[in-house]
Amino acid sequence: MNLPKTSSTFFDYMGFRSTIADKFELTLPLQTHLLQDDGTIHPGVFSTMLDISMGATISIETSSFATTINLNLSFFDLLPKDIYQAETKILKHEGKYVTAEGTIFTEDGVLIAKGIGTFKATPNKQK
């Protein structure tokens, strides 16, 4: 199976770290360039983290390339914490459309953000 590319200049700049064992895991250590002027984390950081986590999970579990169609997100705590971790599960897979749910927690279990996304799954073409 071809695994999704999980590293890019943007991915690296943001400071994301990923592992693929039994499932895709995405973490983000706090970095000062992610802070807004008021000292909070910009919600776009968590939007990106959820989008990457859900898309990669779908790609791995369906052997497809996942393209984001829609994201609905809620943010609960934007105060800086040391490390964030994203968890994702697929809620529904019907044809080429997949709906996933993602959550972001701190190391001590504080819920930071939650999202539901719909993705188009395009099968990977093996060469």
Side-chain angles (χ1 to χ4, degrees):
M1 171 174 83
N2 291 332
L3 296 177
K5 182 180 178 187
T6 58
S7 185
S8 69
T9 303
F10 178 70
F11 189 96
D12 295 338
Y13 172 77
M14 294 296 291
F16 294 121
R17 296 181 183 159
S18 64
T19 58
I20 303 171
D22 295 334
K23 62 181 180 175
F24 180 81
E25 294 182 8
L26 186 65
T27 58
L28 178 64
L30 179 64
Q31 298 179 53
T32 57
H33 70 272
L34 302 176
L35 297 174
Q36 301 186 98
D37 290 343
D38 67 357
T40 62
I41 303 291
H42 190 285
V45 172
F46 300 125
S47 302
T48 301
M49 191 172 184
L50 287 167
D51 187 36
I52 290 171
S53 181
M54 288 187 279
T57 296
I58 291 167
S59 292
I60 292 166
E61 292 188 20
T62 67
S63 298
S64 301
F65 180 78
T67 303
T68 308
I69 296 173
N70 184 53
L71 289 176
N72 293 302
L73 307 169
S74 297
F75 307 99
F76 305 105
D77 188 350
L78 299 176
L79 296 175
K81 311 290 191 230
D82 289 336
I83 296 179
Y84 302 95
Q85 181 172 336
E87 297 178 5
T88 299
K89 65 180 176 183
I90 292 176
L91 299 175
K92 184 174 184 179
H93 184 181
E94 188 173 305
K96 61 184 174 181
Y97 299 104
V98 183
T99 301
E101 177 182 68
T103 52
I104 298 175
F105 293 93
T106 63
E107 287 181 297
D108 55 353
V110 174
L111 178 63
I112 300 298
K114 185 172 186 174
I116 294 179
T118 303
F119 296 76
K120 180 180 177 184
T122 306
N124 288 330
K125 295 185 176 164
Q126 306 260 343
K127 293 183 179 184

mmCIF file of all heavy atoms in Angstrom, residues 82-126:
data_model
loop_
_atom_site.group_PDB
_atom_site.id
_atom_site.type_symbol
_atom_site.label_atom_id
_atom_site.label_comp_id
_atom_site.label_asym_id
_atom_site.label_seq_id
_atom_site.Cartn_x
_atom_site.Cartn_y
_atom_site.Cartn_z
ATOM 1 N N ASP A 82 1.563 22.563 26.083
ATOM 2 C CA ASP A 82 2.847 22.049 25.611
ATOM 3 C C ASP A 82 2.747 21.205 24.344
ATOM 4 O O ASP A 82 3.504 21.400 23.412
ATOM 5 C CB ASP A 82 3.544 21.229 26.706
ATOM 6 C CG ASP A 82 4.047 22.106 27.842
ATOM 7 O OD1 ASP A 82 4.283 23.314 27.614
ATOM 8 O OD2 ASP A 82 4.194 21.590 28.960
ATOM 9 N N ILE A 83 1.835 20.222 24.347
ATOM 10 C CA ILE A 83 1.734 19.303 23.213
ATOM 11 C C ILE A 83 0.263 19.009 22.935
ATOM 12 O O ILE A 83 -0.532 18.800 23.850
ATOM 13 C CB ILE A 83 2.479 17.975 23.490
ATOM 14 C CG1 ILE A 83 3.977 18.245 23.650
ATOM 15 C CG2 ILE A 83 2.245 16.968 22.373
ATOM 16 C CD1 ILE A 83 4.802 17.034 23.950
ATOM 17 N N TYR A 84 -0.054 18.979 21.641
ATOM 18 C CA TYR A 84 -1.408 18.652 21.193
ATOM 19 C C TYR A 84 -1.362 17.339 20.417
ATOM 20 O O TYR A 84 -0.382 17.049 19.730
ATOM 21 C CB TYR A 84 -1.945 19.749 20.269
ATOM 22 C CG TYR A 84 -1.972 21.101 20.926
ATOM 23 C CD1 TYR A 84 -0.929 22.000 20.759
ATOM 24 C CD2 TYR A 84 -3.040 21.477 21.726
ATOM 25 C CE1 TYR A 84 -0.945 23.244 21.370
ATOM 26 C CE2 TYR A 84 -3.064 22.715 22.342
ATOM 27 C CZ TYR A 84 -2.011 23.593 22.161
ATOM 28 O OH TYR A 84 -2.037 24.813 22.769
ATOM 29 N N GLN A 85 -2.431 16.555 20.530
ATOM 30 C CA GLN A 85 -2.515 15.284 19.812
ATOM 31 C C GLN A 85 -3.873 15.179 19.148
ATOM 32 O O GLN A 85 -4.904 15.437 19.781
ATOM 33 C CB GLN A 85 -2.320 14.112 20.768
ATOM 34 C CG GLN A 85 -2.365 12.776 20.061
ATOM 35 C CD GLN A 85 -1.976 11.633 20.975
ATOM 36 O OE1 GLN A 85 -1.279 11.813 21.957
ATOM 37 N NE2 GLN A 85 -2.434 10.447 20.625
ATOM 38 N N ALA A 86 -3.886 14.784 17.882
ATOM 39 C CA ALA A 86 -5.129 14.601 17.139
ATOM 40 C C ALA A 86 -5.494 13.122 17.087
ATOM 41 O O ALA A 86 -4.627 12.268 16.909
ATOM 42 C CB ALA A 86 -4.983 15.137 15.717
ATOM 43 N N GLU A 87 -6.785 12.862 17.254
ATOM 44 C CA GLU A 87 -7.332 11.505 17.111
ATOM 45 C C GLU A 87 -8.459 11.567 16.094
ATOM 46 O O GLU A 87 -9.261 12.502 16.113
ATOM 47 C CB GLU A 87 -7.864 11.005 18.448
ATOM 48 C CG GLU A 87 -6.800 10.864 19.514
ATOM 49 C CD GLU A 87 -7.354 10.409 20.851
ATOM 50 O OE1 GLU A 87 -8.565 10.112 20.946
ATOM 51 O OE2 GLU A 87 -6.574 10.367 21.810
ATOM 52 N N THR A 88 -8.520 10.570 15.230
ATOM 53 C CA THR A 88 -9.508 10.563 14.153
ATOM 54 C C THR A 88 -10.151 9.198 14.016
ATOM 55 O O THR A 88 -9.494 8.177 14.217
ATOM 56 C CB THR A 88 -8.834 10.925 12.813
ATOM 57 O OG1 THR A 88 -8.285 12.229 12.915
ATOM 58 C CG2 THR A 88 -9.810 10.898 11.668
ATOM 59 N N LYS A 89 -11.438 9.212 13.654
ATOM 60 C CA LYS A 89 -12.105 7.955 13.304
ATOM 61 C C LYS A 89 -13.039 8.219 12.129
ATOM 62 O O LYS A 89 -13.582 9.316 11.964
ATOM 63 C CB LYS A 89 -12.875 7.375 14.487
ATOM 64 C CG LYS A 89 -14.042 8.214 14.960
ATOM 65 C CD LYS A 89 -14.739 7.547 16.137
ATOM 66 C CE LYS A 89 -15.848 8.446 16.670
ATOM 67 N NZ LYS A 89 -16.497 7.861 17.843
ATOM 68 N N ILE A 90 -13.186 7.207 11.306
ATOM 69 C CA ILE A 90 -14.106 7.288 10.166
ATOM 70 C C ILE A 90 -15.511 6.988 10.663
ATOM 71 O O ILE A 90 -15.735 5.991 11.349
ATOM 72 C CB ILE A 90 -13.686 6.320 9.048
ATOM 73 C CG1 ILE A 90 -12.366 6.793 8.440
ATOM 74 C CG2 ILE A 90 -14.774 6.218 7.984
ATOM 75 C CD1 ILE A 90 -11.797 5.877 7.384
ATOM 76 N N LEU A 91 -16.440 7.873 10.325
ATOM 77 C CA LEU A 91 -17.829 7.696 10.738
ATOM 78 C C LEU A 91 -18.653 6.986 9.670
ATOM 79 O O LEU A 91 -19.523 6.179 9.994
ATOM 80 C CB LEU A 91 -18.479 9.057 11.031
ATOM 81 C CG LEU A 91 -17.836 9.884 12.142
ATOM 82 C CD1 LEU A 91 -18.516 11.251 12.229
ATOM 83 C CD2 LEU A 91 -17.919 9.145 13.467
ATOM 84 N N LYS A 92 -18.391 7.301 8.406
ATOM 85 C CA LYS A 92 -19.181 6.710 7.317
ATOM 86 C C LYS A 92 -18.358 6.712 6.039
ATOM 87 O O LYS A 92 -17.678 7.685 5.727
ATOM 88 C CB LYS A 92 -20.465 7.518 7.107
ATOM 89 C CG LYS A 92 -21.399 6.936 6.083
ATOM 90 C CD LYS A 92 -22.707 7.707 6.044
ATOM 91 C CE LYS A 92 -23.664 7.035 5.075
ATOM 92 N NZ LYS A 92 -24.944 7.721 5.028
ATOM 93 N N HIS A 93 -18.445 5.604 5.301
ATOM 94 C CA HIS A 93 -17.788 5.495 4.003
ATOM 95 C C HIS A 93 -18.822 4.965 3.024
ATOM 96 O O HIS A 93 -19.224 3.808 3.112
ATOM 97 C CB HIS A 93 -16.589 4.555 4.090
ATOM 98 C CG HIS A 93 -15.818 4.464 2.814
ATOM 99 N ND1 HIS A 93 -14.723 3.652 2.694
ATOM 100 C CD2 HIS A 93 -15.968 5.067 1.617
ATOM 101 C CE1 HIS A 93 -14.241 3.755 1.471
ATOM 102 N NE2 HIS A 93 -14.982 4.611 0.799
ATOM 103 N N GLU A 94 -19.234 5.839 2.135
ATOM 104 C CA GLU A 94 -20.254 5.462 1.149
ATOM 105 C C GLU A 94 -19.757 5.850 -0.233
ATOM 106 O O GLU A 94 -19.659 7.043 -0.552
ATOM 107 C CB GLU A 94 -21.571 6.162 1.465
ATOM 108 C CG GLU A 94 -22.732 5.683 0.617
ATOM 109 C CD GLU A 94 -24.044 6.274 1.086
ATOM 110 O OE1 GLU A 94 -24.364 6.126 2.279
ATOM 111 O OE2 GLU A 94 -24.739 6.875 0.273
ATOM 112 N N GLY A 95 -19.415 4.840 -1.030
ATOM 113 C CA GLY A 95 -18.872 5.116 -2.356
ATOM 114 C C GLY A 95 -17.564 5.867 -2.244
ATOM 115 O O GLY A 95 -16.660 5.481 -1.522
ATOM 116 N N LYS A 96 -17.485 6.978 -2.974
ATOM 117 C CA LYS A 96 -16.243 7.759 -2.956
ATOM 118 C C LYS A 96 -16.219 8.826 -1.862
ATOM 119 O O LYS A 96 -15.259 9.568 -1.733
ATOM 120 C CB LYS A 96 -16.005 8.402 -4.327
ATOM 121 C CG LYS A 96 -17.079 9.355 -4.759
ATOM 122 C CD LYS A 96 -16.804 9.852 -6.170
ATOM 123 C CE LYS A 96 -17.972 10.699 -6.665
ATOM 124 N NZ LYS A 96 -17.736 11.156 -8.021
ATOM 125 N N TYR A 97 -17.272 8.897 -1.047
ATOM 126 C CA TYR A 97 -17.343 9.913 0.003
ATOM 127 C C TYR A 97 -17.143 9.295 1.384
ATOM 128 O O TYR A 97 -17.715 8.261 1.708
ATOM 129 C CB TYR A 97 -18.676 10.662 -0.059
ATOM 130 C CG TYR A 97 -18.834 11.375 -1.378
ATOM 131 C CD1 TYR A 97 -19.659 10.879 -2.369
ATOM 132 C CD2 TYR A 97 -18.104 12.532 -1.644
ATOM 133 C CE1 TYR A 97 -19.774 11.517 -3.594
ATOM 134 C CE2 TYR A 97 -18.213 13.180 -2.860
ATOM 135 C CZ TYR A 97 -19.044 12.669 -3.825
ATOM 136 O OH TYR A 97 -19.141 13.304 -5.032
ATOM 137 N N VAL A 98 -16.321 9.965 2.182
ATOM 138 C CA VAL A 98 -15.995 9.481 3.518
ATOM 139 C C VAL A 98 -16.180 10.632 4.505
ATOM 140 O O VAL A 98 -15.715 11.744 4.258
ATOM 141 C CB VAL A 98 -14.542 8.964 3.600
ATOM 142 C CG1 VAL A 98 -14.248 8.405 4.982
ATOM 143 C CG2 VAL A 98 -14.274 7.925 2.519
ATOM 144 N N THR A 99 -16.853 10.347 5.609
ATOM 145 C CA THR A 99 -17.015 11.328 6.680
ATOM 146 C C THR A 99 -16.200 10.853 7.878
ATOM 147 O O THR A 99 -16.275 9.688 8.262
ATOM 148 C CB THR A 99 -18.499 11.484 7.074
ATOM 149 O OG1 THR A 99 -19.229 11.892 5.916
ATOM 150 C CG2 THR A 99 -18.670 12.525 8.169
ATOM 151 N N ALA A 100 -15.422 11.778 8.427
ATOM 152 C CA ALA A 100 -14.573 11.453 9.572
ATOM 153 C C ALA A 100 -14.775 12.482 10.675
ATOM 154 O O ALA A 100 -15.213 13.602 10.425
ATOM 155 C CB ALA A 100 -13.106 11.424 9.159
ATOM 156 N N GLU A 101 -14.434 12.057 11.887
ATOM 157 C CA GLU A 101 -14.492 12.935 13.046
ATOM 158 C C GLU A 101 -13.097 12.994 13.650
ATOM 159 O O GLU A 101 -12.435 11.976 13.792
ATOM 160 C CB GLU A 101 -15.474 12.372 14.071
ATOM 161 C CG GLU A 101 -15.541 13.180 15.351
ATOM 162 C CD GLU A 101 -16.498 12.547 16.344
ATOM 163 O OE1 GLU A 101 -16.185 11.444 16.840
ATOM 164 O OE2 GLU A 101 -17.552 13.153 16.588
ATOM 165 N N GLY A 102 -12.682 14.194 14.003
ATOM 166 C CA GLY A 102 -11.375 14.357 14.623
ATOM 167 C C GLY A 102 -11.466 15.198 15.876
ATOM 168 O O GLY A 102 -12.315 16.087 15.975
ATOM 169 N N THR A 103 -10.617 14.895 16.823
ATOM 170 C CA THR A 103 -10.536 15.677 18.053
ATOM 171 C C THR A 103 -9.072 15.979 18.338
ATOM 172 O O THR A 103 -8.182 15.212 17.975
ATOM 173 C CB THR A 103 -11.143 14.940 19.263
ATOM 174 O OG1 THR A 103 -10.562 13.635 19.343
ATOM 175 C CG2 THR A 103 -12.645 14.802 19.135
ATOM 176 N N ILE A 104 -8.856 17.090 19.013
ATOM 177 C CA ILE A 104 -7.518 17.454 19.464
ATOM 178 C C ILE A 104 -7.569 17.591 20.978
ATOM 179 O O ILE A 104 -8.455 18.255 21.523
ATOM 180 C CB ILE A 104 -7.037 18.771 18.830
ATOM 181 C CG1 ILE A 104 -6.954 18.615 17.311
ATOM 182 C CG2 ILE A 104 -5.673 19.175 19.411
ATOM 183 C CD1 ILE A 104 -6.609 19.893 16.589
ATOM 184 N N PHE A 105 -6.617 16.926 21.620
ATOM 185 C CA PHE A 105 -6.486 16.929 23.075
ATOM 186 C C PHE A 105 -5.082 17.371 23.457
ATOM 187 O O PHE A 105 -4.146 17.259 22.671
ATOM 188 C CB PHE A 105 -6.691 15.516 23.644
ATOM 189 C CG PHE A 105 -8.068 14.981 23.497
ATOM 190 C CD1 PHE A 105 -8.422 14.203 22.404
ATOM 191 C CD2 PHE A 105 -9.027 15.243 24.470
ATOM 192 C CE1 PHE A 105 -9.710 13.704 22.266
ATOM 193 C CE2 PHE A 105 -10.311 14.747 24.341
ATOM 194 C CZ PHE A 105 -10.652 13.974 23.252
ATOM 195 N N THR A 106 -4.933 17.806 24.703
ATOM 196 C CA THR A 106 -3.610 18.029 25.266
ATOM 197 C C THR A 106 -3.128 16.715 25.873
ATOM 198 O O THR A 106 -3.887 15.751 25.967
ATOM 199 C CB THR A 106 -3.641 19.109 26.362
ATOM 200 O OG1 THR A 106 -4.472 18.644 27.427
ATOM 201 C CG2 THR A 106 -4.139 20.438 25.832
ATOM 202 N N GLU A 107 -1.881 16.710 26.318
ATOM 203 C CA GLU A 107 -1.322 15.517 26.971
ATOM 204 C C GLU A 107 -2.132 15.081 28.177
ATOM 205 O O GLU A 107 -2.236 13.895 28.468
ATOM 206 C CB GLU A 107 0.107 15.794 27.446
ATOM 207 C CG GLU A 107 1.127 15.870 26.365
ATOM 208 C CD GLU A 107 2.493 16.130 26.942
ATOM 209 O OE1 GLU A 107 2.672 17.209 27.553
ATOM 210 O OE2 GLU A 107 3.375 15.260 26.792
ATOM 211 N N ASP A 108 -2.717 16.034 28.890
ATOM 212 C CA ASP A 108 -3.490 15.700 30.092
ATOM 213 C C ASP A 108 -4.987 15.569 29.827
ATOM 214 O O ASP A 108 -5.789 15.584 30.759
ATOM 215 C CB ASP A 108 -3.209 16.696 31.217
ATOM 216 C CG ASP A 108 -3.454 18.142 30.807
ATOM 217 O OD1 ASP A 108 -3.723 18.403 29.621
ATOM 218 O OD2 ASP A 108 -3.373 19.016 31.684
ATOM 219 N N GLY A 109 -5.376 15.421 28.560
ATOM 220 C CA GLY A 109 -6.756 15.095 28.212
ATOM 221 C C GLY A 109 -7.715 16.252 28.057
ATOM 222 O O GLY A 109 -8.919 16.033 27.926
ATOM 223 N N VAL A 110 -7.234 17.491 28.022
ATOM 224 C CA VAL A 110 -8.120 18.642 27.821
ATOM 225 C C VAL A 110 -8.537 18.705 26.358
ATOM 226 O O VAL A 110 -7.694 18.674 25.451
ATOM 227 C CB VAL A 110 -7.420 19.958 28.233
ATOM 228 C CG1 VAL A 110 -8.280 21.165 27.901
ATOM 229 C CG2 VAL A 110 -7.061 19.932 29.713
ATOM 230 N N LEU A 111 -9.853 18.778 26.112
ATOM 231 C CA LEU A 111 -10.371 18.883 24.752
ATOM 232 C C LEU A 111 -10.118 20.288 24.221
ATOM 233 O O LEU A 111 -10.539 21.271 24.817
ATOM 234 C CB LEU A 111 -11.871 18.566 24.725
ATOM 235 C CG LEU A 111 -12.570 18.690 23.376
ATOM 236 C CD1 LEU A 111 -11.999 17.707 22.367
ATOM 237 C CD2 LEU A 111 -14.075 18.476 23.544
ATOM 238 N N ILE A 112 -9.441 20.371 23.097
ATOM 239 C CA ILE A 112 -9.069 21.647 22.493
ATOM 240 C C ILE A 112 -9.979 21.986 21.319
ATOM 241 O O ILE A 112 -10.465 23.099 21.189
ATOM 242 C CB ILE A 112 -7.600 21.613 22.013
ATOM 243 C CG1 ILE A 112 -6.656 21.352 23.186
ATOM 244 C CG2 ILE A 112 -7.230 22.875 21.257
ATOM 245 C CD1 ILE A 112 -6.677 22.412 24.264
ATOM 246 N N ALA A 113 -10.208 21.028 20.439
ATOM 247 C CA ALA A 113 -11.002 21.264 19.236
ATOM 248 C C ALA A 113 -11.604 19.952 18.760
ATOM 249 O O ALA A 113 -11.088 18.870 19.045
ATOM 250 C CB ALA A 113 -10.140 21.881 18.138
ATOM 251 N N LYS A 114 -12.694 20.091 18.002
ATOM 252 C CA LYS A 114 -13.368 18.914 17.447
ATOM 253 C C LYS A 114 -13.895 19.285 16.071
ATOM 254 O O LYS A 114 -14.306 20.425 15.849
ATOM 255 C CB LYS A 114 -14.516 18.497 18.359
ATOM 256 C CG LYS A 114 -15.202 17.221 17.952
ATOM 257 C CD LYS A 114 -16.198 16.784 19.004
ATOM 258 C CE LYS A 114 -16.765 15.434 18.631
ATOM 259 N NZ LYS A 114 -17.626 14.895 19.689
ATOM 260 N N GLY A 115 -13.868 18.323 15.172
ATOM 261 C CA GLY A 115 -14.354 18.598 13.834
ATOM 262 C C GLY A 115 -14.919 17.373 13.157
ATOM 263 O O GLY A 115 -14.592 16.239 13.518
ATOM 264 N N ILE A 116 -15.779 17.638 12.197
ATOM 265 C CA ILE A 116 -16.302 16.601 11.317
ATOM 266 C C ILE A 116 -16.032 17.064 9.896
ATOM 267 O O ILE A 116 -16.257 18.230 9.560
ATOM 268 C CB ILE A 116 -17.806 16.366 11.540
ATOM 269 C CG1 ILE A 116 -18.037 15.785 12.928
ATOM 270 C CG2 ILE A 116 -18.384 15.438 10.460
ATOM 271 C CD1 ILE A 116 -19.486 15.539 13.267
ATOM 272 N N GLY A 117 -15.533 16.162 9.087
ATOM 273 C CA GLY A 117 -15.209 16.516 7.708
ATOM 274 C C GLY A 117 -15.698 15.475 6.730
ATOM 275 O O GLY A 117 -15.807 14.292 7.058
ATOM 276 N N THR A 118 -16.002 15.946 5.538
ATOM 277 C CA THR A 118 -16.359 15.068 4.431
ATOM 278 C C THR A 118 -15.242 15.160 3.399
ATOM 279 O O THR A 118 -14.779 16.262 3.071
ATOM 280 C CB THR A 118 -17.707 15.472 3.803
ATOM 281 O OG1 THR A 118 -18.702 15.457 4.827
ATOM 282 C CG2 THR A 118 -18.108 14.514 2.688
ATOM 283 N N PHE A 119 -14.822 14.004 2.908
ATOM 284 C CA PHE A 119 -13.710 13.917 1.976
ATOM 285 C C PHE A 119 -14.105 13.057 0.782
ATOM 286 O O PHE A 119 -14.905 12.137 0.908
ATOM 287 C CB PHE A 119 -12.495 13.272 2.660
ATOM 288 C CG PHE A 119 -11.955 14.078 3.804
ATOM 289 C CD1 PHE A 119 -12.609 14.109 5.034
ATOM 290 C CD2 PHE A 119 -10.797 14.809 3.658
ATOM 291 C CE1 PHE A 119 -12.118 14.852 6.093
ATOM 292 C CE2 PHE A 119 -10.293 15.565 4.717
ATOM 293 C CZ PHE A 119 -10.960 15.586 5.935
ATOM 294 N N LYS A 120 -13.515 13.350 -0.364
ATOM 295 C CA LYS A 120 -13.661 12.503 -1.541
ATOM 296 C C LYS A 120 -12.443 11.589 -1.567
ATOM 297 O O LYS A 120 -11.297 12.056 -1.531
ATOM 298 C CB LYS A 120 -13.715 13.345 -2.816
ATOM 299 C CG LYS A 120 -13.860 12.508 -4.061
ATOM 300 C CD LYS A 120 -13.913 13.396 -5.291
ATOM 301 C CE LYS A 120 -13.988 12.544 -6.549
ATOM 302 N NZ LYS A 120 -13.933 13.404 -7.746
ATOM 303 N N ALA A 121 -12.690 10.294 -1.618
ATOM 304 C CA ALA A 121 -11.615 9.304 -1.630
ATOM 305 C C ALA A 121 -11.393 8.838 -3.070
ATOM 306 O O ALA A 121 -12.294 8.277 -3.700
ATOM 307 C CB ALA A 121 -11.954 8.129 -0.741
ATOM 308 N N THR A 122 -10.200 9.116 -3.578
ATOM 309 C CA THR A 122 -9.823 8.687 -4.938
ATOM 310 C C THR A 122 -8.807 7.567 -4.790
ATOM 311 O O THR A 122 -7.734 7.796 -4.226
ATOM 312 C CB THR A 122 -9.204 9.863 -5.727
ATOM 313 O OG1 THR A 122 -10.118 10.961 -5.698
ATOM 314 C CG2 THR A 122 -8.914 9.456 -7.157
ATOM 315 N N PRO A 123 -9.134 6.369 -5.283
ATOM 316 C CA PRO A 123 -8.214 5.234 -5.103
ATOM 317 C C PRO A 123 -6.811 5.533 -5.637
ATOM 318 O O PRO A 123 -6.663 6.165 -6.683
ATOM 319 C CB PRO A 123 -8.866 4.102 -5.906
ATOM 320 C CG PRO A 123 -10.308 4.479 -5.957
ATOM 321 C CD PRO A 123 -10.340 5.990 -6.001
ATOM 322 N N ASN A 124 -5.796 5.107 -4.862
ATOM 323 C CA ASN A 124 -4.413 5.246 -5.307
ATOM 324 C C ASN A 124 -4.196 4.324 -6.484
ATOM 325 O O ASN A 124 -4.632 3.159 -6.466
ATOM 326 C CB ASN A 124 -3.433 4.869 -4.193
ATOM 327 C CG ASN A 124 -3.387 5.895 -3.083
ATOM 328 O OD1 ASN A 124 -3.596 7.073 -3.328
ATOM 329 N ND2 ASN A 124 -3.105 5.450 -1.888
ATOM 330 N N LYS A 125 -3.511 4.824 -7.478
ATOM 331 C CA LYS A 125 -3.190 3.988 -8.646
ATOM 332 C C LYS A 125 -1.788 3.435 -8.452
ATOM 333 O O LYS A 125 -0.826 4.179 -8.382
ATOM 334 C CB LYS A 125 -3.297 4.795 -9.928
ATOM 335 C CG LYS A 125 -4.719 5.243 -10.185
ATOM 336 C CD LYS A 125 -4.863 5.933 -11.486
ATOM 337 C CE LYS A 125 -6.346 6.232 -11.636
ATOM 338 N NZ LYS A 125 -6.668 7.172 -12.605
ATOM 339 N N GLN A 126 -1.712 2.128 -8.307
ATOM 340 C CA GLN A 126 -0.421 1.451 -8.130
ATOM 341 C C GLN A 126 0.259 1.336 -9.493
ATOM 342 O O GLN A 126 -0.363 0.990 -10.473
ATOM 343 C CB GLN A 126 -0.643 0.060 -7.538
ATOM 344 C CG GLN A 126 -1.438 0.068 -6.274
ATOM 345 C CD GLN A 126 -0.554 -0.039 -5.056
ATOM 346 O OE1 GLN A 126 0.586 -0.409 -5.153
ATOM 347 N NE2 GLN A 126 -1.119 0.289 -3.912
#
